[in-house]
Amino acid sequence: MRHGAYEGHRPSYHAPHEAALTQNGREQIPRSLPLPEGITAIVTSPIPHARQTATLVAHLTGLPIVATSGLLAEWRAQSNVLGRTAETYPPAYRTWRARHLASPSLRCEDGESLTDLHTRARHCATFLQHTALRHGPLLAVSHTLFLGVLTHLQEGPAAFVTPPREPRGSSPSAACSPTASPRHCTFRDMNDEGPTVRPPPMTCWTQAATPWRFHCMSRSCESS
């Protein structure tokens, strides 16, 4: 599940970690229900607007939050772009943006490189599978860019910017099932706003072995 709308939420905006859900963000959550059938537990990013989203879902559904993991956190931008939009990005960050696809291991100051992000997403996929084996099918609450990479691991670091075709008006959810083979996840997006880079589509992903395979779950979803 992508978190609800937060304070300052707009395109090309790098939210400060402390940004909280807005009233609109809180109102989005009941509209996202019901969740996919069979979910028995929630895992969440520790970033406050994701954690608040998970807490509200837990309250509305009665599902327990069984883990809070930094593996589900959003891509870490360099500190001095937090709270900024594209018009005020510093020169070093603009230079990094121009070079990051050609050099995915390149970092900008204290930010994550695309290679760092993809490696974390691979570790997160393993974490979700192991957690689902203990707790049953999971709802994972996370963030736009990270979910885009997590749901397209086979594309490597380039998944950061490869835009999928996305069904409009879809509601958010991400469910991970521990069934022996294959494992399944369903992703739906809560927001029509937010970063324009790669919001995840409504997708089912299965893994009997690598690589991940993706199948559209929505009647309105277009093939990519």
Side-chain angles (χ1 to χ4, degrees), residues 118 148-164 198 211-212 214 224:
H118 186 260
V149 174
L150 180 65
T151 56
H152 295 78
L153 286 175
Q154 85 286 3
E155 296 179 21
F160 187 78
V161 295
T162 306
R198 197 172 185 82
W212 296 99
F214 300 89
S224 58

Side-chain angles (χ1 to χ4, degrees), residues 53-140:
T53 298
T55 299
L56 286 169
V57 173
H59 174 74
L60 291 168
T61 63
L63 295 173
I65 298 175
V66 297
T68 299
S69 174
L71 290 172
L72 284 161
E74 182 57 297
W75 169 70
R76 189 181 73 249
Q78 66 180 75
S79 299
N80 67 355
V81 302
L82 298 181
R84 297 193 183 201
T85 54
E87 315 84 66
T88 59
Y89 289 159
Y93 185 63
R94 292 176 185 272
T95 300
W96 177 84
R97 283 169 61 91
R99 298 175 56 196
H100 67 293
L101 289 182
S103 303
S105 296
L106 182 68
R107 296 188 182 96
C108 187
E109 299 184 7
D110 60 343
E112 274 185 307
S113 71
L114 302 195
T115 300
D116 294 336
L117 179 65
H118 186 260
T119 298
R120 177 160 62 88
R122 288 193 291 106
H123 292 321
C124 185
T126 300
F127 160 76
L128 290 174
Q129 292 166 7
H130 290 171
T131 305
L133 287 172
R134 293 194 300 271
H135 298 284
L138 301 172
L139 175 75

Side-chain angles (χ1 to χ4, degrees), residues 4-23:
Y6 54 79
E7 295 169 353
H9 199 173
R10 57 194 183 275
S12 302
Y13 178 70
H14 291 292
H17 294 314
E18 66 272 14
L21 290 179
T22 62
Q23 183 60 34

